[in-house]
Amino acid sequence: MPASVKVGCIGQATAKVVSSFQKRVDFLGQGSSESVALAFAKEISHDDHVLFPAADSAAPTVSRHLYPHQAIQLPIYRTAESPPQQLPKADLWVLTSPSNAKALSKVNGWPGKSKIIAIGKTTAAALEALDISTYTVAWEPSERALADALFSC
């Protein structure tokens, strides 16, 4: 990859995979999509080009905060729905993505009386689309935000 193209990753897992192929990750975003986008936009100049490896279904949240010529969103993986046949009884479900919500919604009787924590606005929107309106949203994908959500459900 040319040195003139910066590599931006959202989340440690994506950065780890990218690092195994491409030894350089110029920016690693942690936290809510909006806060990451604003922080990243401050890190680059108008002439920079940035590659964002992401899921094929990822929203272009960060690239919306950049000039159109700067952002290259490259799908490098696909999330697949794989609903389990049965679920254990649980008092609480933590959903990390819209695909989690969609897969679990296919299991008869879910969520029942279980409480739900959605990590992020897109996961919350997926729950709303599934007519599930009782849940708590963690304000960012971090342990602290998850703990806050847990104590507020």
Side-chain angles (χ1 to χ4, degrees):
M1 167 123 32
S4 61
V5 176
K6 295 185 184 243
V7 179
C9 294
I10 308 303
Q12 190 64 45
T14 301
K16 184 176 179 180
V17 171
V18 169
S19 297
S20 69
F21 294 100
Q22 149 71 32
K23 299 303 178 197
R24 179 177 51 97
V25 172
D26 298 297
F27 181 82
L28 171 59
Q30 303 279 32
S32 71
S33 298
E34 290 299 316
S35 65
V36 168
L38 295 172
F40 191 77
K42 292 177 185 175
E43 298 262 334
I44 62 171
S45 73
H46 182 271
D47 296 328
D48 287 335
H49 291 82
V50 187
L51 176 70
F52 293 103
D56 64 343
S57 60
T61 306
V62 175
S63 55
R64 275 192 297 237
H65 291 271
L66 304 177
Y67 293 104
H69 73 275
Q70 289 181 301
I72 306 160
Q73 188 158 321
L74 178 66
I76 61 169
Y77 65 93
R78 175 176 295 134
T79 56
E81 282 183 29
S82 181
Q85 297 300 314
Q86 291 185 336
L87 293 174
K89 287 195 174 220
D91 294 327
L92 174 74
W93 292 95
V94 177
L95 303 180
T96 59
S97 69
S99 60
N100 288 159
K102 290 174 189 168
L104 288 174
S105 73
K106 294 179 180 177
V107 176
N108 191 23
W110 184 83
K113 294 183 180 184
S114 301
K115 294 180 180 180
I116 301 171
I117 295 176
I119 306 279
K121 294 176 186 175
T122 57
T123 304
L127 288 168
E128 290 289 335
L130 295 165
D131 291 324
I132 298 170
S133 58
T134 304
Y135 55 87
T136 302
V137 181
W139 44 275
E140 71 174 25
S142 69
E143 291 174 5
R144 182 172 178 219
L146 182 57
D148 285 350
L150 180 61
F151 288 116
S152 68
C153 1

